[in-house]
Amino acid sequence: MRIESYSLAKDGEKKLSANFRVREFACKDGSNTIFVCDELVQLLQNIRDHFNRPVTITSAYRTVTHNKKVGGSPKSQHLYGTAADIQVKDTPPEFVAQYVETLLPNTGGIGLYPKKSGRAKGWVHVDVRKAKARWKM
Ligand SMILES: [Zn+2]
């Protein structure tokens, strides 16, 4: 596991893999520094290749301030650049979570946020922590 630091201004357009650029991992508060774990990028690319559909990252790296603002857990993996919340085009989050389960059978975090009233779309949280964590909200 290697966590790299990037600058949104300088590296934003840089490709981290075939389908993902640095800017997609930026904190939504617009801050310049971005932390991204290489294993997270590999995981997302694997998901992209498996479904062969666009993957939208709705939240990846978060600063402490932004994480508090969005109600993230104080030890959220998003703070370390090891987590992403994703939506796969035209694919229910349940299918995405099931597939990620096969990639991370004994490690990592998978949080399922099914589509429900008050949520335009569901999403899946994935992270590459060493321990295994699963939840559904
Ligand atoms: Zn998340």
Side-chain angles (χ1 to χ4, degrees):
M1 171 178 302
R2 189 183 163 100
I3 295 172
E4 292 281 355
S5 166
Y6 298 98
S7 152
L8 177 59
K10 204 158 65 80
D11 311 312
E13 296 306 315
K14 186 186 155 106
K15 275 191 161 186
L16 295 173
S17 68
N19 297 98
F20 294 97
R21 291 177 195 269
V22 166
R23 61 174 153 74
E24 297 175 80
F25 294 83
C27 183
K28 299 298 180 193
D29 68 2
S31 37
N32 187 55
T33 303
I34 308 168
F35 291 99
V36 184
C37 177
D38 61 346
E39 286 179 26
L40 178 66
V41 175
Q42 284 168 29
L43 181 70
L44 298 184
Q45 186 63 48
N46 193 323
I47 296 165
R48 171 69 179 77
D49 292 343
H50 174 78
F51 289 102
N52 196 26
R53 287 175 183 165
V55 172
T56 303
I57 300 175
T58 58
S59 179
Y61 171 63
R62 291 178 195 157
T63 60
V64 171
T65 314
H66 186 67
N67 187 56
K68 269 188 197 148
K69 197 179 144 192
V70 299
S73 135
K75 289 193 170 177
S76 170
Q77 294 287 309
H78 289 279
L79 298 168
Y80 311 113
T82 48
D85 297 339
I86 58 169
Q87 293 167 333
V88 179
K89 190 175 167 55
D90 299 331
T91 308
E94 288 82 356
F95 289 11
V96 178
Q98 270 172 27
Y99 177 63
V100 180
E101 191 66 48
T102 68
L103 300 175
L104 303 172
N106 303 307
T107 64
I110 305 174
L112 175 60
Y113 296 77
K115 183 180 164 143
K116 61 183 185 187
S117 59
R119 273 182 199 161
K121 285 178 181 175
W123 70 92
V124 179
H125 164 108
V126 296
D127 70 65
V128 293
R129 75 182 79 184
K130 292 268 182 289
K132 179 175 178 172
R134 301 290 184 265
W135 67 92
K136 185 176 172 181
M137 300 284 278

